Amino acid sequence: MNHASDSFQRDFIRAIYGVGDSQSSLAQLTGQPGFKVYRNTVLKASVDALAANYPAIVRLVGEEWFRSAALIHACAEPPQSVCLIEYGRGFADFLSAFGPAAELPYLGDVARLDRFWTECHIAADEAPLEAAMLAALGEADLLRSVLRPRAAVRWRWCANQPAYAIWQANREQRELADELDWDGEGALLSRIDGQVAWQAASLGMCVFLDACAAGEDLQAATTKAVDAEPGLDVARLLGALIHAEAFASPVMPTR
């Protein structure tokens, strides 16, 4: 391992993003006009990547506000990969704690839904569960089976704010409704036939999916979902999730 080379690369990256020590061994290099041009080019590429990965946020806050915030984030958390479609994992958390965004408490959750779109888009392919596979199980085996969410599925319950409605309108580039019910909302995103689709998700659906992702069997997941949302129609819920291709093949119970 070349420790000198590794150290140089770390210092160089830190200098590009404005966190290098001015007294470091790179001071002579970083003081040159050409380095400043290169630094600006790299930072612009990072900000451009964030804008491409968070289109709903750009539309919500405007290009100028977004690019100012994105530049701060890029300097604090530079890309870790040359594949910039993956860049911005921590951007939603950054926005949630960003002082100038304090009057937009939904901004972090809207950003998380943008991030979910990216994660669904680039996730590995998996064959979806077919309803016939569940129908073939006996009742006891069905209740003991574990429904495993596909890699290309994401969901979230956003308490106390209509983050999904705000995200959906801006993602689809249409006007938001004049009056929004300021209540909790959920979202389900899934890649179907190569395209990311989205739909509203109830609290019960999100709790159900959380339980499935944690490895709980169908009976336990159903109990938690109904506790969270009394009156939930479990058969309709399962039908909607299978139609959305939310699950891969189930983990079958061992006898």
Side-chain angles (χ1 to χ4, degrees), residues 126-145:
E126 284 184 293
L129 170 67
E130 296 183 2
M133 184 176 294
L134 290 184
L137 296 176
E139 181 178 355
D141 285 344
L142 177 63
L143 292 175
R144 292 169 54 214
S145 64

Side-chain angles (χ1 to χ4, degrees), residues 15-69:
I16 287 174
Y17 288 92
V19 293
D21 184 350
S22 61
Q23 302 302 316
S24 74
S25 59
L26 296 180
Q28 184 176 0
L29 171 63
T30 58
Q32 297 179 13
F35 181 84
K36 294 180 181 179
V37 173
Y38 180 76
R39 179 176 184 269
N40 290 339
T41 300
V42 172
L43 286 172
K44 181 180 182 301
S46 298
V47 171
D48 287 347
L50 287 171
N53 294 342
Y54 291 89
I57 300 298
V58 176
R59 193 171 187 271
L60 261 175
V61 301
E63 188 80 21
E64 182 177 358
W65 193 100
F66 181 90
R67 296 188 77 83
S68 297

Side-chain angles (χ1 to χ4, degrees), residues 50 54 73 77 86-96 115:
L50 287 171
Y54 291 89
H73 177 72
E77 293 188 29
E86 299 177 2
Y87 181 45
R89 182 182 302 276
F91 191 54
D93 289 340
F94 165 79
L95 290 176
S96 293
R115 177 67 188 180

Side-chain angles (χ1 to χ4, degrees), residues 10 120 123 145 150 163-164 199 203 228 253:
R10 285 194 298 270
C120 288
S145 64
R150 292 170 63 229
Y164 172 68
Q199 65 182 66
L203 175 59

Side-chain angles (χ1 to χ4, degrees), residues 162-222:
Y164 172 68
I166 295 170
W167 176 81
Q168 182 184 29
N170 284 280
R171 189 83 196 194
E172 296 173 357
Q173 298 187 17
R174 56 178 175 79
E175 293 302 314
L176 198 59
D178 292 335
E179 295 291 335
L180 285 177
D181 293 328
W182 212 259
D183 297 319
E185 288 185 343
L188 172 69
L189 285 75
S190 177
R191 193 181 71 229
I192 302 174
D193 295 329
Q195 301 294 321
V196 179
W198 50 82
Q199 65 182 66
S202 70
L203 175 59
M205 177 183 285
C206 293
V207 169
F208 181 82
L209 288 167
D210 284 340
C212 291
E216 300 193 38
D217 63 27
L218 181 59
Q219 184 171 20
T222 298

